[in-house]
Amino acid sequence: MERKELPQFKCCLLCPRGGNELTRVVGSPGNNLHEVEAPGGERFLASMPPKFRHNLWIKRGDFLLVDPIEEGEKVKAEISFVLYKDHVRYLQQEGLWPEAFSDAPNSRSSPQSRVGEPQATQEDEDSDSDLFVNPNRLRDIGTDSEEEDEDESEEEEQ
């Protein structure tokens, strides 16, 4: 089966203008709806148009350009474009990237770009911090360390 290729868009078309708004995906309740967050912190639902439904997959943490829908109560926007890492970099270089999204995981620096930093020790290389993190799963950071502490305290009592 032949794979469909999506057309490459010029980055100059990505600049949010008029009614377009740059948003970050927070979740996906289903039925081609995605919960998005605007730079101001407002959360609302955005619908995926039929032309994208079988061609694109959107996950938590992705960035979108959306067009507002006036008649919607819950669904207030329609997705017009999905931004990829190259698009995000371009908008950051042009100064069009919102400060609220500057802490995004897509803006992480790669290990190759850290030229001036000292070499990592053996302990640093063994850590799992550089592994891929699935943005579709919510992580509960504190539970693992609590379970280890309980196991250690039980061993000390015996």
Side-chain angles (χ1 to χ4, degrees):
M1 183 196 266
E2 201 169 312
R3 197 171 170 188
K4 289 185 180 180
E5 293 290 328
L6 295 177
Q8 296 293 327
F9 294 98
K10 292 185 178 180
C11 288
C12 62
L13 299 175
L14 299 176
C15 301
R17 352 179 162 145
N20 283 358
E21 188 173 4
L22 188 65
T23 59
R24 176 176 31 200
V25 177
V26 179
S28 179
N31 288 340
N32 295 308
L33 296 175
H34 297 278
E35 184 179 1
V36 296
E37 179 181 29
E42 179 189 4
R43 289 186 176 196
F44 52 90
L45 292 176
S47 67
M48 182 182 290
K51 67 180 180 179
F52 290 146
R53 290 188 182 165
H54 295 291
N55 296 326
L56 293 174
W57 281 262
I58 298 174
K59 61 183 184 275
R60 184 181 298 131
D62 284 350
F63 296 98
L64 310 171
L65 276 178
V66 298
D67 295 323
I69 299 174
E70 295 176 6
E71 65 270 0
E73 290 181 24
K74 291 184 179 181
V75 181
K76 295 185 179 180
E78 183 176 53
I79 298 170
S80 60
F81 195 79
V82 179
L83 298 173
Y84 295 107
K85 290 181 184 180
D86 295 337
H87 304 133
V88 171
R89 261 188 251 125
Y90 174 78
L91 290 173
Q92 288 172 342
Q93 290 172 354
E94 294 296 316
L96 299 170
W97 193 252
E99 288 295 322
F101 296 152
S102 63
D103 62 342
N106 289 349
S107 61
R108 282 186 288 171
S109 63
S110 63
Q112 293 84 10
S113 66
R114 296 182 267 175
V115 177
E117 293 184 10
Q119 293 294 325
T121 62
Q122 182 66 25
E123 293 175 14
D124 292 340
E125 292 175 4
D126 292 338
S127 71
D128 294 338
S129 62
D130 60 341
L131 293 177
F132 173 76
V133 178
N134 186 352
N136 289 330
R137 299 248 177 187
L138 294 176
R139 294 185 351 201
D140 192 14
I141 297 173
T143 58
D144 293 339
S145 62
E146 291 173 5
E147 291 174 5
E148 291 174 5
D149 292 340
E150 290 175 7
D151 292 339
E152 289 175 6
S153 62
E154 289 176 6
E155 290 175 4
E156 290 175 2
E157 291 174 4
Q158 295 176 359

